[in-house]
Amino acid sequence: MVFTSVDAVDTQQQDEPGGRRFPANFAWGSATAAYQIEGAVAEGGRTPSIWDTFSHTPGKVAGGDTGDVAVDHFHRFREDVAIMRELGLTTYRMSVAWPRITPDVGPDDLGPVNQQGLAFYRALVDELVAAGIEPAVTLYHWDLPQALEDAGGWTDRRTAQRFAEYAAVVATALAPDVQTFITLNEPWCSAYLGYASGVHAPGRQEPASALSAVHHLNLAHGLASSAIRAAVPTARVGLTLNLAWVHSPAGETADDDAVRRVDGLQNRVFLDPVLNGRYPADVLADTSEVTDWSFVLDGDLELVHQVPDVLGVNYYSPTVVRQWDGDRPRETADGHGDTSATPWIGCDGVEFPEQPGRHTDMGWPIDPRGLTELLLRLHREHPGVDLMVTENGAAFPDVVAADGQVHDQDRVDYLRDHLGAVLDAIEVGAPVRGYFLWSLLDNFEWSFGYSKRFGIVHIDYDTLVRTLKDSAHWYSAVVKAGGALPADG
Ligand code: IFM
């Protein structure tokens, strides 16, 4: 298995002048998510998810794009696995679409298991294993069955209970070829973008519901972890969070409260219950005008407190905050969509100033130091928990050049600098076991539709032809050189 412990942290071996190297058994992968790539939304017994409904609602997704076809991975998965094999990847993080597995789920009943749905993922896993690529499976990457949303979605604790049952079904079916099951991807987005700002499905703008969703997502992680561990005792259970390196522009103490609030809402409201079995008191206080948190029932925190075997970190850009003085227009460049409703509940005195320097096509500032800082913080505050970078990458406006190639040097620079940041953390002891580049393929970037390209493989959306970008060749060279990172280029 690829995800073994890295004991010797000798990254200083020089392959070439100035070069650095990752530990020998580091896992090298890429990541995708079902709704963003599969398409075939009405095939194989699948029923609608909240993203089908949302993307088909006029005005919700740029260009009216939907995931109906996406990049047709459902039919082309063999070609995509062949690309991964060609690149030399050792692992692949994929997600399972819940509505393919239990298409008739309701709030009180999981319904029958759809064997066609399982068969698709079984075939994909078989293809990966045959290619020598270890799959890591995310169980929830935002495609909640619509029937569950109709009954309350993540504001209803029954959703967490059904999720745990579904998780056990998938784990049982895909083990032992799949050893790593990640319960949730970025519950921050599911809760705050889905239920507070409404820029993601299901598009609700109800701050109290968003905090209820936070708790029920935490509960879902806890219940599903227990269910997976009971069903497959050898499984490695993970949780992926989009944690933020929150800081103020000048490190002013006047901004400390802004930093604390955003850190609480983005990081600690997920980390503390899962890793320590309690909610942060300051977050409960900051949000007390919105909710009394009475949806946290007696005994819930014991259920939530399921320390992951591996904590997944998704990192793209820093989060820079400042205390707003109230005398001038508030800056809201938080990088999560222009919206009248804020995802930042209880952060009224906080502003998100525009950052100087380089930005990606998402408008996200580029600062790899944040990845080092986050990994070191987790190592410091939660020693003994293995870490993985489960997403990192960048969107740029790629074009196919006259030579038929995609020369995405901006992405190469981004990847080189962020891999260097991971090495910085490893060198001072952070137990980082692997890196998953987001993303393998250009894909459906949620409310941005197909307008943003994160892939190291270019997709022609008219023909669905796949073309390896320069970044794919660069990443492949790093992987095939056993994690030797060139000093430049
Ligand atoms: O595309 C998303 C992914 O689904 C979750 N993490 C962030 C990526 C880029 O926005």
Side-chain angles (χ1 to χ4, degrees):
M1 284 290 116
V2 176
F3 305 142
T4 48
S5 294
V6 179
D7 298 323
V9 186
D10 178 11
T11 63
Q12 303 289 352
Q13 308 159 44
Q14 307 289 305
D15 278 78
E16 54 185 83
R20 304 159 77 195
R21 179 185 280 280
F22 277 79
N25 42 7
F26 195 78
W28 292 100
S30 65
T32 63
Y35 189 73
Q36 294 181 272
I37 61 167
E38 282 180 3
V41 292
E43 290 182 51
R46 181 187 183 279
T47 50
S49 76
I50 54 175
W51 269 97
D52 296 277
T53 308
F54 191 77
S55 65
H56 279 270
T57 305
K60 297 297 186 190
V61 173
D65 291 343
T66 74
D68 288 4
V69 176
V71 304
D72 197 31
H73 174 76
F74 187 81
H75 297 113
R76 297 171 195 241
F77 71 89
R78 291 198 167 80
E79 179 184 352
D80 295 336
V81 173
I83 290 172
M84 288 186 248
R85 176 183 218 157
E86 182 187 339
L87 295 178
L89 303 189
T90 61
T91 181
Y92 172 54
R93 175 174 174 241
M94 53 182 258
S95 85
V96 169
W98 187 353
R100 287 198 191 281
I101 305 302
T102 60
D104 299 319
V105 61
D108 296 310
D109 181 9
L110 191 64
V113 173
N114 174 29
Q115 295 303 327
Q116 284 185 84
L118 278 183
F120 167 67
Y121 294 109
R122 188 67 254 169
L124 173 53
V125 165
D126 288 349
E127 194 77 9
L128 287 162
V129 170
I133 299 167
E134 180 175 355
V137 167
T138 304
L139 292 154
Y140 186 71
H141 199 125
W142 308 351
D143 35 11
L144 185 71
Q146 181 62 45
L148 291 180
E149 173 57 26
D150 294 342
W154 287 112
T155 70
D156 189 321
R157 62 190 293 114
R158 293 175 299 174
T159 298
Q161 292 159 343
R162 299 294 80 75
F163 176 70
E165 295 164 2
Y166 146 78
V169 167
V170 175
T172 304
L174 299 185
D177 289 322
V178 179
Q179 292 276 311
T180 303
F181 293 95
I182 295 169
T183 54
L184 307 175
N185 180 72
E186 301 183 357
W188 185 92
C189 295
S190 302
Y192 302 123
L193 301 185
Y195 290 83
S197 70
V199 297
H200 278 192
R204 287 159 68 174
Q205 297 186 329
E206 305 160 9
S209 297
L211 295 172
S212 165
V214 165
H215 176 60
H216 294 127
L217 283 154
N218 284 332
L219 184 63
H221 163 76
L223 294 174
S225 299
S226 301
I228 295 165
R229 285 172 170 148
V232 184
T234 54
R236 231 162 69 115
V237 177
L239 169 66
T240 281
L241 300 175
N242 52 329
L243 299 168
W245 173 45
V246 191
H247 63 287
S248 70
E252 302 279 348
T253 51
D255 297 321
D256 284 356
D257 197 54
V259 171
R260 179 192 63 72
R261 283 174 189 264
V262 171
D263 180 63
L265 205 67
Q266 174 122 19
N267 298 328
R268 289 179 289 113
V269 82
F270 299 105
L271 290 171
D272 283 12
V274 167
L275 293 162
N276 299 325
R278 58 178 154 69
Y279 277 110
D282 62 320
V283 174
L284 302 188
D286 291 344
T287 57
S288 61
E289 287 184 10
V290 174
T291 178
D292 60 4
W293 290 75
S294 54
F295 39 76
V296 182
L297 304 187
D298 283 351
D300 274 8
L301 282 163
E302 285 77 46
L303 300 173
V304 170
H305 187 195
Q306 284 285 328
V307 177
D309 301 309
V310 60
L311 183 58
V313 176
N314 289 1
Y315 176 82
Y316 291 88
S317 71
T319 301
V320 183
V321 302
R322 187 165 63 196
Q323 199 69 32
W324 179 43
D325 63 14
D327 291 337
R328 53 185 165 68
R330 186 171 163 205
E331 290 190 56
T332 57
D334 72 347
H336 291 288
D338 188 15
T339 170
S340 52
T342 179
W344 299 108
I345 305 161
C347 298
D348 293 345
V350 178
E351 66 178 349
F352 296 83
E354 287 283 355
Q355 291 306 294
R358 293 181 303 151
H359 290 68
T360 70
D361 196 32
M362 298 295 285
W364 298 346
I366 300 174
D367 192 343
R369 288 175 305 161
L371 184 48
T372 312
E373 294 288 339
L374 271 179
L375 295 167
L376 291 180
R377 172 191 177 168
L378 292 169
H379 177 46
R380 197 169 56 241
E381 295 182 1
H382 307 286
V385 177
D386 275 3
L387 305 173
M388 289 267 221
V389 178
T390 39
E391 283 183 31
N392 176 242
F396 289 106
D398 307 313
V399 290
V400 180
D403 62 2
Q405 304 295 308
V406 180
H407 302 300
D408 57 338
Q409 186 61 39
D410 283 343
R411 185 173 290 102
V412 171
D413 293 345
Y414 181 101
L415 295 174
R416 185 197 54 234
D417 293 349
H418 285 77
L419 283 172
V422 177
L423 263 182
D424 289 344
I426 292 175
E427 283 171 2
V428 285
V432 189
R433 308 308 187 200
Y435 176 89
F436 293 85
L437 193 163
W438 186 271
S439 185
L440 178 69
L441 310 164
D442 288 339
N443 59 56
F444 177 82
E445 176 54 24
W446 308 112
S447 57
F448 295 89
Y450 299 101
S451 67
K452 305 295 178 192
R453 294 181 177 272
F454 273 92
I456 54 172
V457 176
H458 179 273
I459 302 287
D460 179 323
Y461 287 111
D462 294 327
T463 61
L464 296 174
V465 164
R466 280 102 161 111
T467 303
L468 271 57
K469 303 179 189 177
D470 286 357
S471 56
H473 297 296
W474 181 89
Y475 188 53
S476 178
V478 171
V479 174
K480 288 178 179 168
L485 200 58
D488 49 39

